[in-house]
Amino acid sequence: MPIIIREPADWDPFRELEQLQRQMDRLFRQSFGGRFPWRVGVYPLVNISEDRDYVYVRAELPGVKPENLEIHIRDKNLVIRGERKIMGEEKDVNFHRRERESGFFRRVLTLPTPVNPDNVEATCKDGILTIKIAKPEEIKPRQIKVASA
Amino acid sequence: MEEKELQPKVKEEVPAKGERVRPGRIFVPAVDIYETAEALVLVADMPGVSGDRVSLDLKDSHLIISGEISQPMGEGETLLSQEYQVGDYYREFHLGEMIDKNRIEAFMSDGVLKLTLPKAEKAKPRKIEVKTG
């Protein structure tokens, strides 16, 4: 299981990072005439989904070990950081193709709905990281009974 | 050591070839291929594919690797935002070396396939001694 760290309430670097990310994006867009085709976002790319009780954040991280992953959550802000190491980098080999990359990554994202940061589960399976975050009771849809008069 | 930051890549789709029974997209997995004195090693990123859903096919010197992903989302989930596409994987290779088919090893872990293709005896480099007399 990756480590999940809850930050103390008075510390908030996430908003700043997020702002910086947005400013950088804007700068890139301006300097390249609104188009920056090879920039598709920040690694890792994530898909976000929801059901009635949870929000799910998924990322493809093939070959990344859970011990090399660190996940932080505070309010609606989620940070995924880690390192991807590539095996088989022995000296005595002759590479024909090298398409896989290794390195560090850090992704800061704001969740689309309010969440309960005390109820988070993260799992890695077949190279896919799934972070399952509970929604607080007050935003869950409620069924309203219709009383007959 | 200098910190290298990873950049995201958009997955490359396999050009359509015939029709498939299974719906969905097919992508080209990123691979590393390296050669040692004994074998050719192929490492492929196939996130979402478990070990029992990989298939390997080697005919003569033609190698096909493919992998089917398991259900990417749980029942009753709706997508809020999507940055990457999900789908199966497929890639073909033409091997220049002679491979000893009986000793091929495949290992799948954390969505990464590692295929060791041992070279056939006659393809191994041999040192030829020059005799002087």
Side-chain angles (χ1 to χ4, degrees):
Chain A
M1 280 274 279
I3 320 151
I4 297 167
I5 300 164
R6 270 170 226 108
E7 303 296 348
D10 56 327
W11 187 63
D12 191 9
F14 304 111
R15 201 151 301 139
E16 271 173 51
L17 273 172
E18 188 72 30
Q19 268 172 6
L20 189 70
Q21 211 170 323
R22 235 176 274 140
Q23 281 164 5
M24 290 291 281
D25 282 346
R26 208 176 306 136
L27 189 71
F28 275 124
R29 270 198 299 276
Q30 279 166 0
S31 21
F32 292 90
R35 226 179 261 188
F36 203 67
W38 61 91
R39 188 187 159 86
V40 289
V42 177
Y43 191 94
L45 298 177
V46 297
N47 284 354
I48 304 174
S49 61
E50 65 170 353
D51 59 14
R52 192 185 162 274
D53 300 321
Y54 299 95
V55 176
Y56 302 85
V57 177
R58 290 192 179 86
E60 290 185 333
L61 294 165
V64 177
K65 300 270 172 228
E67 59 264 31
N68 292 326
L69 264 175
E70 212 180 283
I71 298 155
H72 295 245
I73 188 161
R74 193 174 109 70
D75 298 333
K76 281 170 76 174
N77 300 305
L78 186 73
V79 178
I80 304 166
R81 55 184 289 178
E83 188 190 353
R84 185 173 187 226
K85 292 175 187 167
I86 284 186
M87 307 283 273
E89 286 181 339
E90 302 107 272
K91 272 174 259 158
D92 214 22
V93 298
N94 178 12
F95 269 94
H96 294 302
R97 257 169 215 266
R98 282 194 102 152
E99 299 169 356
R100 303 168 67 240
E101 283 176 78
S102 60
F104 292 90
F105 54 88
R106 184 181 62 208
R107 177 78 198 257
V108 184
L109 57 119
T110 304
L111 297 166
T113 63
V115 290
N116 177 4
D118 294 321
N119 191 346
V120 186
E121 248 176 62
T123 46
C124 276
K125 189 179 174 276
D126 300 328
I128 297 194
L129 166 72
T130 302
I131 306 167
K132 180 178 162 188
I133 314 152
K135 290 183 186 176
E137 280 304 318
E138 57 269 25
I139 69 150
K140 285 184 191 173
R142 229 165 283 167
Q143 200 179 350
I144 293 139
K145 262 193 200 155
V146 181
S148 52
Chain B
M1 204 188 94
E2 204 188 320
E3 274 203 15
K4 192 175 139 202
E5 230 178 289
L6 273 167
Q7 294 302 319
K9 273 191 208 160
V10 174
K11 288 203 252 177
E12 189 191 336
E13 227 173 316
V14 176
K17 205 165 76 175
E19 276 193 71
R20 292 208 319 158
V21 178
R22 210 172 123 96
R25 291 160 177 266
I26 318 167
F27 296 98
V28 181
V31 299
D32 281 351
I33 300 175
Y34 58 87
E35 195 180 331
T36 63
E38 301 295 311
L40 204 62
V41 182
L42 188 149
V43 188
D45 285 342
M46 296 199 278
V49 178
S50 56
D52 53 339
R53 308 290 289 274
V54 183
S55 86
L56 304 163
D57 186 17
L58 179 64
K59 267 192 209 108
D60 301 324
S61 60
H62 196 70
L63 173 74
I64 297 175
I65 55 172
S66 60
E68 286 185 356
I69 50 158
S70 29
Q71 202 61 36
M73 285 204 295
E75 196 98 349
E77 272 181 55
T78 47
L79 209 52
L80 296 174
S81 84
Q82 184 172 32
E83 291 178 347
Y84 67 87
Q85 305 279 348
V86 283
D88 297 337
Y89 300 91
Y90 180 92
R91 196 157 174 179
E92 294 183 23
F93 296 95
H94 209 80
L95 303 170
E97 299 270 359
M98 292 295 286
I99 300 301
D100 185 349
K101 287 188 188 184
N102 301 319
R103 293 192 296 129
I104 293 177
E105 273 175 50
F107 179 69
M108 188 86 191
S109 102
D110 301 321
V112 179
L113 170 73
K114 186 178 179 185
L115 200 58
T116 309
L117 306 153
K119 292 179 193 172
E121 279 304 316
K122 60 179 173 185
K124 274 190 203 170
R126 222 165 285 154
K127 203 180 167 189
I128 298 155
E129 268 180 63
V130 180
K131 284 176 195 159
T132 47

